[in-house]
Amino acid sequence: MLEVNKTVFVDMDNTLFDFDGAATKALPEVIRDQYGQGQEFYVASRFPEEFQQIIKNTYNHPDFFANLELLPGALDAWEVMLDHGYEPQILSSPLSSNPNAVGGKLESLRKHFVRRFGERVITSAIIDKAKWNYLGLALIDDRINPAQGNTSSWQHVLFSRPHNLGDDHQPRLESWIDPEENIIPLLDTLGLCEPREK
């Protein structure tokens, strides 16, 4: 049984894994550079109409989720949470347009996490849009409003990505690892979260 006040939920797409980078990989680099940093949450919406179907075809491919690349420092940050008594747990939304999304997400966890952290990463993973239904200390997520207006027990830690840089939400986690100082800034951010009742 996970201890609620130590449970840190972690989103997958654009938080642990580089969803947007993979979704736009088929586009010319100049187009990615011109439109990819937009403020729209949905990556296809940042691009002109003639490129949107290419992006949708890419992220709806059966093997898309199983082949996503981890963001730098993600595995080390997971280990830091475990070492300091937190209980990290996947809490990620399925992509309804891709029937293979759930299986692909679990496969990507198996590929990258299980060897280092064991099967529990998969058996405890929650793939559900209704993230507000789960009790925990924090949710680290790139979406500005992951509770979608519902009451949640966890405190939202906004994981910085280009599409949310215009929002002043706090607490915010800039990255899993500070490339200049080579440190994991996660613990200071989690220290700002206080347990609360739903």
Side-chain angles (χ1 to χ4, degrees):
M1 178 90 178
L2 295 178
E3 185 181 346
V4 169
N5 288 349
K6 289 292 187 177
T7 299
V8 177
F9 294 119
V10 186
D11 177 48
M12 292 181 68
D13 303 331
N14 288 322
T15 303
L16 285 176
F17 292 88
D18 187 11
F19 180 100
D20 287 2
T24 59
K25 194 172 184 178
L27 299 179
E29 185 175 355
V30 64
I31 298 299
R32 295 200 310 268
D33 291 344
Q34 184 174 357
Y35 298 103
Q37 308 300 308
Q39 297 293 301
E40 293 286 336
F41 175 73
Y42 295 105
V43 60
S45 300
R46 300 175 208 152
F47 290 81
E49 189 172 345
E50 62 265 33
F51 301 110
Q52 292 182 11
Q53 196 57 51
I54 298 172
I55 296 170
K56 292 176 183 178
N57 289 343
T58 300
Y59 65 57
N60 286 323
H61 189 279
D63 297 328
F64 176 77
F65 284 96
N67 292 309
L68 291 180
E69 296 291 329
L70 279 170
L71 291 172
L75 291 177
D76 291 334
W78 195 275
E79 186 165 342
V80 163
M81 284 190 277
L82 289 170
D83 288 347
H84 287 81
Y86 291 103
E87 295 282 356
Q89 184 178 1
I90 296 296
L91 179 53
S92 183
S93 297
L95 182 63
S96 56
S97 61
N98 186 333
N100 296 85
V102 174
K105 288 187 178 215
L106 296 177
E107 180 60 30
S108 65
L109 292 174
R110 181 171 301 283
K111 185 184 300 184
H112 294 281
F113 280 78
V114 168
R115 180 178 297 178
R116 188 164 171 181
F117 302 110
E119 287 282 336
R120 188 161 180 253
V121 175
I122 293 178
T123 58
S124 68
I126 301 167
I127 313 293
D128 188 357
K129 287 182 182 286
K131 296 180 178 181
W132 53 90
N133 282 334
Y134 302 95
L135 302 177
L137 173 68
L139 167 66
I140 304 172
D141 197 311
D142 67 298
R143 188 167 191 158
I144 290 173
N145 180 21
Q148 298 175 40
N150 294 278
T151 302
S152 62
S153 67
W154 38 258
Q155 187 162 349
H156 176 210
V157 175
L158 186 62
F159 189 81
S160 286
R161 296 295 283 170
H163 63 82
N164 65 35
L165 294 181
D167 190 89
D168 60 359
H169 180 94
Q170 294 295 330
R172 176 187 283 270
L173 185 62
E174 296 297 337
S175 63
W176 291 118
I177 189 165
D178 184 325
E180 293 185 4
E181 299 183 35
N182 197 31
I183 60 170
I184 304 285
L186 177 62
L187 294 177
D188 289 340
T189 305
L190 288 178
L192 301 175
C193 299
E194 296 184 3
R196 59 190 186 193
E197 295 184 6
K198 185 171 178 179

